Amino acid sequence: MAQPLLELKNLAFSYGEKVLFKDLCLRLYPGERMGLMGPNGAGKTTLLRLIVGLLSPEAGQIIFEGKPCHTPKDFYYLRRRVGLVFQDPDDQLFCPTVAEDIAFGPLNLGVPREQIPGLVSHVLKMLGLEGFEERVTYRLSGGEKRLVALGTVLAMKPQVLLLDEPTGDLDPLNIEKLIDILKGLSAAQIIVSHDVEFLKEVTDTIYWLEKGVLSPYEKKTSISFYRAF
Amino acid sequence: MRNVLKNCDPRVKILLALGFAVIVALTYSFRVLFLAALFVLVCLSLSGLSLRFVLQRVALVNLFLVLVVFTLPFTTPGTLWFSIGPFKVSHAGASLALLVFLKSNLIVLATVALLYSSSVFELAHALHHLRVPDKLVQLLFFTFRYLHLLEQEFLHLKEAALLRGFRPRTDLFTYRTTAYLVGNLIVRSYDRSQRVYEAMLCRGFQGTFPVYHHFEGQRRDLFLALFGGLYLVLMLLAG
């Protein structure tokens, strides 16, 4: 098989006493769509943050395109190609208007200014939010915010897309829309979600993360949802 | 004619506001202040801001000024103007109080008129162009950004407390609850600001603020720079 686009090798990470992973391995191939489930606090979000270098692992490597990433510069390069959409869209959107927010990433990447308005309207069209350019971001509805937050990352044309609970407060219609958008992308994806039906629809494989161990998701493991009670 | 200032180059606006503030702050001449007032009137009429909005801003500043303006006449030595009981008002004191009052208000009004029409994002970008150190620009931008977040978090917490029947009284319970609210506010806002910063990093943020609507030096900006600059020189000469 081809070289993995992104590989996590023997990753270890803990918050103080609480050990999240000791020896975690994961491979993501170009165009692969992977779902990630697990109980609350299992470290799904942490895993995504480790991948883009917002946290640094205690041991192990993050390998992107065959090159291990260690320095901030490595991760700066990685983040140009690996886009992370945060769980809370309010964390992601900080510009006054939708157009400016979507343009922020591409402008940072040095996309020529003349191409920006076209790119913004293309992204908005993809999201089914035509004509939203001048809308004020903090006055959007929850669902619109979530889609725009996705758009801010899509505008950077990432090779890998990391999504943290993208279905959040979306209504069923918007979830359908999201499924279509994600299926239409060529980027490899890792999607963290609690929504099995959604993951089954979008992703090729679903993994279960619990106690630092990543295993293929099977129906029976869903019992551990209730173990806490 | 309204909203003309909104579309002007923020660099020109920043420089004009800065020049104006320095000249007005350093002057002791009422003639200069008269010219400054004219400048402010023109800027305000070009800014497209509503009178009500401007007055609100100015009222806030004057809240701080009240103390100064009411103590200066009584505390500055000089020839006696009039006295109220044991309190003596000097000529020098009264004119100094008036001077301080006028200066502060004019500077605030000019700054509001010139800069309020630009977004903080644009101003941050303009400061980069004016070669202000990156760290200072980021400080400015994030201070604004996080003040806004702080307010949002505070409103959330307050609502949560009110919804559970909290009513502020003067007892220990109220003080403790308020302390919890403030403590929580600080922790939460810090976390949130951290996440916003991280989200920016994830989108290739490197310390500079690229703007969507790029400034292009237009005739309008040249006019503003030329007339504004000349007027400031005139003010200097009048002083």
Side-chain angles (χ1 to χ4, degrees), chain A residues 89-171:
Chain A
D90 278 324
D91 293 337
Q92 192 118 26
L93 305 174
F94 66 95
C95 298
T97 64
V98 170
E100 282 172 281
D101 231 318
I102 291 179
F104 180 77
L107 283 173
N108 278 327
L109 299 192
V111 173
R113 209 164 277 284
E114 313 81 68
Q115 296 176 16
I116 298 284
L119 181 65
V120 170
S121 67
H122 172 72
V123 167
L124 286 176
K125 197 169 170 211
M126 221 154 89
L127 302 170
L129 299 174
E130 286 100 333
F132 265 56
E133 277 91 343
E134 296 305 316
R135 292 281 290 272
V136 176
T137 44
Y138 66 84
R139 292 212 191 103
L140 298 175
S141 74
E144 288 165 349
K145 270 188 194 168
R146 205 161 268 283
L147 289 176
V148 172
L150 173 65
T152 62
V153 174
L154 289 184
M156 296 170 72
K157 305 203 168 115
Q159 282 170 275
V160 180
L161 189 59
L162 308 175
L163 300 166
D164 199 350
E165 305 207 8
T167 53
D169 40 16
L170 290 182
D171 60 48

Coordinates of all heavy atoms in Angstrom, one line a residue, chain A residues 89-171:
Chain A
P89 N -17.8 26.4 17.4 CA -17.5 27.3 16.3 C -17.2 28.7 16.8 O -16.5 29.5 16.2 CB -18.8 27.3 15.5 CG -19.8 26.5 16.3 CD -19.1 25.8 17.3
D90 N -17.6 29.1 18.1 CA -17.3 30.4 18.6 C -15.8 30.6 18.8 O -15.3 31.7 18.9 CB -18.1 30.6 19.9 CG -19.5 31.1 19.6 OD1 -19.7 31.8 18.7 OD2 -20.4 30.7 20.4
D91 N -15.1 29.5 19.0 CA -13.7 29.6 19.2 C -13.0 29.9 17.9 O -11.9 30.4 17.8 CB -13.1 28.3 19.7 CG -13.6 28.1 21.2 OD1 -13.9 29.0 21.8 OD2 -13.6 26.9 21.6
Q92 N -13.6 29.4 16.8 CA -13.0 29.5 15.5 C -13.2 30.8 14.8 O -12.4 31.3 14.0 CB -13.6 28.4 14.6 CG -12.8 28.1 13.4 CD -12.2 26.7 13.3 OE1 -12.7 25.8 13.9 NE2 -11.1 26.6 12.6
L93 N -14.4 31.4 15.0 CA -14.8 32.6 14.2 C -14.5 33.8 15.1 O -14.9 33.9 16.2 CB -16.3 32.5 13.9 CG -16.7 31.3 13.2 CD1 -18.2 31.3 13.0 CD2 -16.1 31.2 11.8
F94 N -13.7 34.7 14.5 CA -13.3 35.9 15.3 C -13.3 37.2 14.5 O -13.1 38.2 15.0 CB -12.0 35.7 16.0 CG -10.8 35.6 15.1 CD1 -10.1 36.8 14.8 CD2 -10.5 34.4 14.4 CE1 -9.1 36.7 13.9 CE2 -9.5 34.4 13.5 CZ -8.8 35.5 13.2
C95 N -13.6 37.1 13.2 CA -13.6 38.3 12.4 C -15.0 38.8 12.4 O -15.9 38.1 12.6 CB -13.1 37.9 11.0 SG -11.5 37.3 10.9
P96 N -15.1 40.1 12.0 CA -16.5 40.7 12.0 C -17.4 40.1 11.0 O -18.5 39.8 11.3 CB -16.2 42.2 11.7 CG -14.8 42.4 11.7 CD -14.1 41.1 11.9
T97 N -16.9 39.9 9.8 CA -17.8 39.3 8.8 C -17.4 37.9 8.3 O -16.2 37.5 8.5 CB -17.8 40.2 7.5 OG1 -16.5 40.2 6.9 CG2 -18.2 41.6 7.8
V98 N -18.3 37.2 7.8 CA -18.1 35.8 7.3 C -16.9 35.8 6.3 O -16.0 35.0 6.3 CB -19.4 35.3 6.7 CG1 -19.1 34.0 6.0 CG2 -20.4 35.1 7.8
A99 N -17.0 36.8 5.3 CA -16.0 36.8 4.2 C -14.6 36.9 4.8 O -13.6 36.2 4.4 CB -16.3 37.9 3.3
E100 N -14.4 37.8 5.8 CA -13.1 38.0 6.4 C -12.6 36.8 7.1 O -11.4 36.5 7.1 CB -13.2 39.2 7.3 CG -13.1 40.6 6.6 CD -13.4 41.7 7.5 OE1 -14.6 42.0 7.9 OE2 -12.4 42.4 7.9
D101 N -13.6 36.1 7.8 CA -13.2 34.9 8.5 C -12.7 33.8 7.6 O -11.7 33.2 7.8 CB -14.3 34.5 9.4 CG -13.9 34.3 10.8 OD1 -12.8 33.7 11.0 OD2 -14.6 34.6 11.7
I102 N -13.4 33.7 6.5 CA -13.0 32.6 5.5 C -11.7 33.0 4.9 O -10.9 32.1 4.6 CB -14.2 32.4 4.5 CG1 -15.4 31.7 5.2 CG2 -13.7 31.5 3.4 CD1 -16.5 31.5 4.4
A103 N -11.5 34.3 4.7 CA -10.3 34.7 4.0 C -9.1 34.7 4.9 O -7.9 34.7 4.4 CB -10.5 36.2 3.4
F104 N -9.2 34.6 6.2 CA -8.1 34.7 7.1 C -7.1 33.6 6.8 O -5.9 33.9 6.7 CB -8.6 34.6 8.5 CG -7.5 34.7 9.6 CD1 -7.0 35.9 9.9 CD2 -7.1 33.5 10.2 CE1 -6.0 36.0 10.9 CE2 -6.1 33.6 11.2 CZ -5.5 34.8 11.5
G105 N -7.5 32.4 6.7 CA -6.6 31.3 6.5 C -5.8 31.4 5.2 O -4.6 31.5 5.1
P106 N -6.6 31.5 4.0 CA -5.9 31.7 2.7 C -4.9 32.9 2.7 O -3.9 32.8 2.1 CB -7.1 31.9 1.8 CG -8.2 31.2 2.4 CD -8.0 31.4 3.9
L107 N -5.3 34.0 3.3 CA -4.4 35.2 3.3 C -3.1 34.9 4.0 O -2.1 35.3 3.6 CB -5.1 36.4 3.9 CG -6.2 37.1 3.0 CD1 -6.9 38.1 3.9 CD2 -5.5 37.7 1.8
N108 N -3.3 34.1 5.2 CA -2.1 33.7 5.9 C -1.2 32.8 5.1 O 0.0 32.8 5.2 CB -2.5 33.0 7.2 CG -2.8 34.0 8.3 OD1 -2.2 35.0 8.4 ND2 -3.7 33.6 9.1
L109 N -1.8 32.0 4.2 CA -1.0 31.1 3.4 C -0.5 31.8 2.2 O 0.3 31.2 1.4 CB -1.9 29.9 2.9 CG -2.6 29.0 3.9 CD1 -3.2 27.8 3.3 CD2 -1.6 28.6 5.0
G110 N -0.8 33.0 2.0 CA -0.2 33.8 0.9 C -0.9 33.6 -0.4 O -0.3 33.8 -1.5
V111 N -2.2 33.2 -0.4 CA -3.0 33.2 -1.6 C -3.1 34.6 -2.2 O -3.4 35.5 -1.4 CB -4.4 32.6 -1.3 CG1 -5.3 32.6 -2.6 CG2 -4.3 31.1 -0.8
P112 N -2.9 34.8 -3.5 CA -3.0 36.1 -4.1 C -4.3 36.8 -3.8 O -5.4 36.1 -3.9 CB -2.8 35.9 -5.6 CG -2.1 34.6 -5.7 CD -2.5 33.8 -4.5
R113 N -4.3 38.0 -3.5 CA -5.4 38.8 -3.0 C -6.6 38.8 -4.1 O -7.7 38.7 -3.7 CB -5.0 40.2 -2.8 CG -5.8 40.9 -1.8 CD -5.0 42.2 -1.4 NE -4.0 41.9 -0.4 CZ -4.3 41.6 0.9 NH1 -5.6 41.7 1.3 NH2 -3.4 41.3 1.8
E114 N -6.2 38.7 -5.4 CA -7.3 38.8 -6.4 C -8.1 37.5 -6.4 O -9.3 37.6 -6.7 CB -6.7 38.9 -7.8 CG -5.6 40.0 -8.0 CD -4.2 39.4 -7.5 OE1 -3.7 38.5 -8.2 OE2 -3.8 40.0 -6.5
Q115 N -7.5 36.4 -5.9 CA -8.3 35.2 -5.9 C -9.2 35.0 -4.7 O -10.0 34.1 -4.7 CB -7.3 34.0 -5.9 CG -6.4 33.9 -7.2 CD -5.4 32.8 -7.1 OE1 -5.5 31.9 -6.3 NE2 -4.4 32.9 -8.0
I116 N -9.0 35.8 -3.7 CA -9.7 35.6 -2.5 C -11.2 35.7 -2.6 O -11.9 34.8 -2.2 CB -9.2 36.6 -1.4 CG1 -7.7 36.3 -1.1 CG2 -10.0 36.5 -0.1 CD1 -7.4 35.1 -0.3
P117 N -11.8 36.8 -3.2 CA -13.2 36.9 -3.2 C -13.9 35.7 -4.0 O -14.9 35.2 -3.5 CB -13.5 38.2 -4.0 CG -12.3 39.0 -3.8 CD -11.1 38.0 -3.7
G118 N -13.2 35.2 -5.0 CA -13.7 34.1 -5.7 C -13.7 32.8 -4.9 O -14.6 32.1 -4.8
L119 N -12.6 32.7 -4.1 CA -12.4 31.5 -3.2 C -13.5 31.5 -2.1 O -14.1 30.5 -1.8 CB -11.0 31.6 -2.6 CG -10.7 30.4 -1.6 CD1 -10.6 29.1 -2.4 CD2 -9.3 30.7 -1.0
V120 N -13.7 32.7 -1.6 CA -14.7 32.9 -0.5 C -16.1 32.5 -1.0 O -16.8 31.7 -0.4 CB -14.8 34.3 0.0 CG1 -16.0 34.5 1.0 CG2 -13.5 34.6 0.8
S121 N -16.5 33.0 -2.2 CA -17.8 32.7 -2.7 C -17.9 31.2 -3.1 O -19.0 30.6 -3.0 CB -18.2 33.6 -3.9 OG -17.4 33.4 -5.0
H122 N -16.8 30.6 -3.6 CA -16.8 29.2 -3.9 C -17.0 28.3 -2.6 O -17.9 27.4 -2.7 CB -15.4 28.8 -4.5 CG -15.2 27.3 -4.7 ND1 -15.9 26.6 -5.7 CD2 -14.5 26.4 -4.0 CE1 -15.6 25.4 -5.6 NE2 -14.7 25.2 -4.6
V123 N -16.4 28.7 -1.6 CA -16.5 28.0 -0.3 C -18.0 28.1 0.2 O -18.6 27.1 0.6 CB -15.5 28.5 0.8 CG1 -15.9 27.9 2.1 CG2 -14.1 28.0 0.4
L124 N -18.5 29.3 0.1 CA -19.9 29.5 0.6 C -20.9 28.8 -0.2 O -21.8 28.2 0.3 CB -20.2 31.0 0.6 CG -19.5 31.8 1.7 CD1 -19.8 33.3 1.6 CD2 -20.0 31.3 3.1
K125 N -20.6 28.6 -1.5 CA -21.5 27.9 -2.4 C -21.5 26.4 -2.0 O -22.5 25.7 -1.9 CB -21.0 28.1 -3.8 CG -22.1 27.7 -4.8 CD -21.8 28.1 -6.2 CE -22.8 27.5 -7.1 NZ -22.3 27.2 -8.4
M126 N -20.2 25.9 -1.7 CA -20.1 24.5 -1.3 C -20.9 24.2 0.0 O -21.5 23.2 0.1 CB -18.6 24.3 -1.0 CG -18.1 23.0 -1.5 SD -16.3 23.2 -1.8 CE -15.7 22.7 -0.2
L127 N -21.0 25.2 0.8 CA -21.7 25.1 2.1 C -23.2 25.4 2.0 O -24.0 25.2 2.9 CB -21.1 26.0 3.2 CG -19.7 25.9 3.5 CD1 -19.2 27.0 4.3 CD2 -19.4 24.5 4.2
G128 N -23.6 25.8 0.7 CA -25.0 26.2 0.6 C -25.3 27.5 1.3 O -26.4 27.7 1.7
L129 N -24.3 28.3 1.4 CA -24.6 29.6 2.1 C -24.3 30.8 1.2 O -23.6 31.7 1.6 CB -23.7 29.7 3.4 CG -23.9 28.7 4.5 CD1 -22.8 28.9 5.6 CD2 -25.2 28.8 5.1
E130 N -24.8 30.7 0.0 CA -24.5 31.8 -1.0 C -24.9 33.1 -0.5 O -26.0 33.2 0.2 CB -25.2 31.5 -2.3 CG -24.5 30.4 -3.2 CD -25.3 29.1 -3.0 OE1 -26.0 28.9 -2.0 OE2 -25.3 28.3 -4.0
G131 N -24.1 34.1 -0.7 CA -24.5 35.5 -0.4 C -24.3 35.8 1.1 O -24.8 36.8 1.6
F132 N -23.6 35.0 1.8 CA -23.4 35.2 3.3 C -22.1 36.1 3.5 O -21.8 36.4 4.7 CB -23.2 33.9 4.0 CG -24.4 33.4 4.6 CD1 -25.6 33.1 3.8 CD2 -24.5 33.1 6.0 CE1 -26.7 32.7 4.4 CE2 -25.7 32.6 6.5 CZ -26.8 32.4 5.7
E133 N -21.5 36.5 2.5 CA -20.2 37.2 2.6 C -20.2 38.3 3.7 O -19.3 38.4 4.6 CB -19.7 37.9 1.3 CG -19.0 36.9 0.4 CD -20.0 36.3 -0.6 OE1 -21.2 36.3 -0.3 OE2 -19.5 35.7 -1.6
E134 N -21.1 39.2 3.7 CA -21.1 40.4 4.6 C -21.9 40.2 5.8 O -22.1 41.1 6.6 CB -21.6 41.6 3.8 CG -20.7 42.1 2.7 CD -19.3 42.3 3.0 OE1 -19.0 42.9 4.1 OE2 -18.4 41.8 2.3
R135 N -22.3 38.9 6.1 CA -23.1 38.7 7.3 C -22.1 38.8 8.5 O -20.9 38.4 8.4 CB -23.7 37.3 7.3 CG -24.8 37.2 6.3 CD -26.1 37.7 6.8 NE -26.7 37.0 7.8 CZ -27.5 35.9 7.6 NH1 -27.9 35.6 6.4 NH2 -28.0 35.3 8.7
V136 N -22.6 39.2 9.6 CA -21.8 39.4 10.9 C -21.7 38.0 11.6 O -22.8 37.4 11.9 CB -22.5 40.4 11.8 CG1 -21.7 40.5 13.1 CG2 -22.5 41.8 11.1
T137 N -20.5 37.5 11.8 CA -20.4 36.1 12.3 C -21.1 35.9 13.6 O -21.7 34.8 13.7 CB -18.9 35.8 12.4 OG1 -18.2 36.8 13.0 CG2 -18.3 35.4 11.1
Y138 N -21.0 36.8 14.5 CA -21.6 36.4 15.8 C -23.1 36.5 15.9 O -23.7 36.2 16.9 CB -20.9 37.2 17.0 CG -21.2 38.7 17.0 CD1 -22.3 39.2 17.6 CD2 -20.2 39.5 16.5 CE1 -22.6 40.5 17.6 CE2 -20.5 40.9 16.5 CZ -21.6 41.4 17.1 OH -21.8 42.7 17.1
R139 N -23.7 36.9 14.7 CA -25.2 36.9 14.7 C -25.7 35.8 13.9 O -26.9 35.7 13.7 CB -25.7 38.2 14.1 CG -25.4 39.4 15.0 CD -26.5 40.5 14.8 NE -26.0 41.7 15.5 CZ -25.6 42.7 14.8 NH1 -25.6 42.8 13.5 NH2 -25.1 43.8 15.5
L140 N -24.9 34.8 13.5 CA -25.3 33.7 12.7 C -26.0 32.7 13.7 O -25.7 32.7 14.9 CB -24.2 33.0 12.0 CG -23.4 33.8 11.0 CD1 -22.2 33.0 10.5 CD2 -24.3 34.1 9.8
S141 N -26.8 31.8 13.1 CA -27.4 30.8 14.0 C -26.4 29.7 14.3 O -25.3 29.7 13.6 CB -28.6 30.2 13.3 OG -28.2 29.3 12.3
G142 N -26.7 28.9 15.3 CA -25.7 27.8 15.7 C -25.3 27.0 14.5 O -24.1 26.7 14.3
G143 N -26.2 26.5 13.7 CA -25.9 25.7 12.5 C -25.1 26.4 11.5 O -24.1 25.9 11.0
E144 N -25.5 27.7 11.2 CA -24.7 28.5 10.2 C -23.3 28.7 10.7 O -22.3 28.6 9.9 CB -25.4 29.8 10.0 CG -26.7 29.7 9.3 CD -27.5 31.0 9.4 OE1 -27.2 31.9 10.2 OE2 -28.5 31.1 8.6
K145 N -23.1 29.0 12.0 CA -21.8 29.2 12.6 C -20.9 27.9 12.3 O -19.8 28.0 11.9 CB -21.9 29.4 14.1 CG -22.0 30.8 14.4 CD -21.9 31.0 15.9 CE -22.3 32.4 16.4 NZ -22.5 32.5 17.8
R146 N -21.5 26.8 12.6 CA -20.8 25.5 12.4 C -20.3 25.3 11.0 O -19.2 24.9 10.7 CB -21.7 24.4 12.9 CG -21.0 23.2 13.4 CD -21.9 22.3 14.2 NE -21.8 22.6 15.6 CZ -20.8 22.3 16.4 NH1 -19.8 21.6 15.9 NH2 -20.8 22.6 17.6
L147 N -21.2 25.6 10.1 CA -20.9 25.4 8.6 C -19.8 26.4 8.2 O -18.9 26.1 7.5 CB -22.1 25.6 7.8 CG -23.1 24.5 7.8 CD1 -24.4 24.8 7.0 CD2 -22.5 23.2 7.4
V148 N -19.9 27.7 8.7 CA -18.9 28.7 8.4 C -17.6 28.3 9.0 O -16.5 28.4 8.3 CB -19.3 30.1 8.8 CG1 -18.2 31.1 8.7 CG2 -20.6 30.6 8.1
A149 N -17.6 27.8 10.2 CA -16.3 27.4 10.8 C -15.7 26.3 10.0 O -14.4 26.3 9.8 CB -16.6 26.8 12.2
L150 N -16.5 25.4 9.4 CA -15.9 24.3 8.5 C -15.4 25.0 7.3 O -14.3 24.7 6.8 CB -17.1 23.4 8.2 CG -16.7 22.3 7.1 CD1 -15.7 21.4 7.6 CD2 -18.0 21.5 6.7
G151 N -16.1 26.0 6.8 CA -15.7 26.8 5.6 C -14.3 27.4 5.8 O -13.5 27.5 4.9
T152 N -14.1 28.0 7.0 CA -12.8 28.7 7.2 C -11.6 27.8 7.0 O -10.6 28.2 6.6 CB -12.7 29.3 8.6 OG1 -12.8 28.2 9.6 CG2 -13.8 30.3 8.9
V153 N -11.9 26.5 7.3 CA -10.8 25.5 7.2 C -10.8 25.0 5.7 O -9.7 24.8 5.1 CB -10.9 24.4 8.2 CG1 -9.9 23.3 7.9 CG2 -10.8 24.9 9.6
L154 N -11.9 24.7 5.1 CA -12.0 24.2 3.8 C -11.3 25.2 2.8 O -10.7 24.8 1.8 CB -13.4 24.0 3.3 CG -14.2 22.9 3.9 CD1 -15.6 22.7 3.3 CD2 -13.4 21.6 3.8
A155 N -11.4 26.5 3.1 CA -10.8 27.6 2.3 C -9.3 27.4 2.1 O -8.7 27.9 1.2 CB -11.2 28.9 2.8
M156 N -8.7 26.7 3.1 CA -7.3 26.5 3.0 C -6.9 25.2 2.2 O -5.8 24.9 2.1 CB -6.7 26.3 4.4 CG -6.9 27.6 5.3 SD -6.5 27.4 7.0 CE -4.7 27.2 6.9
K157 N -7.9 24.6 1.6 CA -7.8 23.4 0.8 C -6.9 22.4 1.5 O -5.8 22.0 1.0 CB -7.2 23.8 -0.6 CG -8.1 24.8 -1.3 CD -7.9 24.7 -2.8 CE -9.0 25.5 -3.5 NZ -8.4 26.7 -4.2
P158 N -7.2 21.9 2.6 CA -6.4 20.9 3.4 C -6.3 19.6 2.7 O -7.3 19.2 2.1 CB -7.0 20.9 4.8 CG -8.5 21.2 4.5 CD -8.5 22.1 3.4
Q159 N -5.2 18.9 3.0 CA -5.1 17.5 2.5 C -5.7 16.6 3.5 O -6.2 15.5 3.2 CB -3.6 17.1 2.3 CG -3.0 17.7 1.1 CD -1.5 17.4 1.1 OE1 -0.8 18.2 1.6 NE2 -1.1 16.4 0.5
V160 N -5.7 17.0 4.8 CA -6.3 16.2 5.9 C -7.2 17.2 6.6 O -6.9 18.3 6.9 CB -5.2 15.7 6.8 CG1 -5.9 14.9 8.0 CG2 -4.2 14.8 6.1
L161 N -8.4 16.7 6.9 CA -9.4 17.5 7.6 C -9.7 16.8 8.9 O -10.1 15.6 8.9 CB -10.6 17.6 6.7 CG -11.7 18.6 7.2 CD1 -11.2 20.0 7.3 CD2 -12.9 18.5 6.2
L162 N -9.5 17.5 10.0 CA -9.8 16.9 11.3 C -11.1 17.6 11.9 O -11.1 18.8 12.0 CB -8.7 17.2 12.3 CG -7.3 16.7 11.8 CD1 -6.2 17.1 12.8 CD2 -7.2 15.2 11.6
L163 N -12.1 16.8 12.2 CA -13.3 17.4 12.6 C -13.7 17.0 14.0 O -13.7 15.8 14.3 CB -14.5 17.1 11.7 CG -14.3 17.5 10.2 CD1 -15.3 16.8 9.3 CD2 -14.5 19.0 10.1
D164 N -13.9 17.9 14.9 CA -14.3 17.6 16.3 C -15.8 17.7 16.5 O -16.2 18.9 16.6 CB -13.5 18.4 17.3 CG -13.4 17.8 18.7 OD1 -14.1 16.9 18.9 OD2 -12.6 18.4 19.5
E165 N -16.5 16.7 16.6 CA -17.9 16.7 16.7 C -18.6 17.7 15.8 O -19.2 18.7 16.3 CB -18.3 17.0 18.2 CG -17.6 16.0 19.1 CD -18.3 15.7 20.4 OE1 -19.4 16.2 20.5 OE2 -17.8 15.0 21.2
P166 N -18.5 17.4 14.5 CA -19.1 18.4 13.6 C -20.6 18.5 13.5 O -21.1 19.5 13.1 CB -18.5 17.9 12.2 CG -18.3 16.5 12.4 CD -17.9 16.3 13.8
T167 N -21.3 17.4 14.1 CA -22.7 17.5 14.0 C -23.4 18.3 15.1 O -24.5 18.7 15.0 CB -23.3 16.1 14.0 OG1 -22.8 15.4 15.2 CG2 -23.0 15.3 12.8
G168 N -22.6 18.5 16.2 CA -23.0 19.3 17.3 C -24.4 19.7 17.4 O -25.3 18.9 17.7
D169 N -24.7 21.0 17.1 CA -26.1 21.4 17.2 C -26.8 21.5 15.8 O -27.7 22.4 15.6 CB -26.1 22.8 17.9 CG -25.0 23.7 17.5 OD1 -24.4 23.4 16.4 OD2 -24.7 24.7 18.2
L170 N -26.4 20.7 14.9 CA -27.0 20.8 13.6 C -28.3 20.1 13.6 O -28.5 19.0 14.2 CB -26.1 20.1 12.5 CG -24.8 20.9 12.1 CD1 -24.1 20.1 11.1 CD2 -25.1 22.3 11.7
D171 N -29.3 20.6 12.8 CA -30.6 20.0 12.7 C -30.4 18.9 11.6 O -29.4 18.8 10.9 CB -31.7 21.0 12.3 CG -31.4 21.7 11.0 OD1 -31.0 21.0 10.0 OD2 -31.5 22.9 10.9

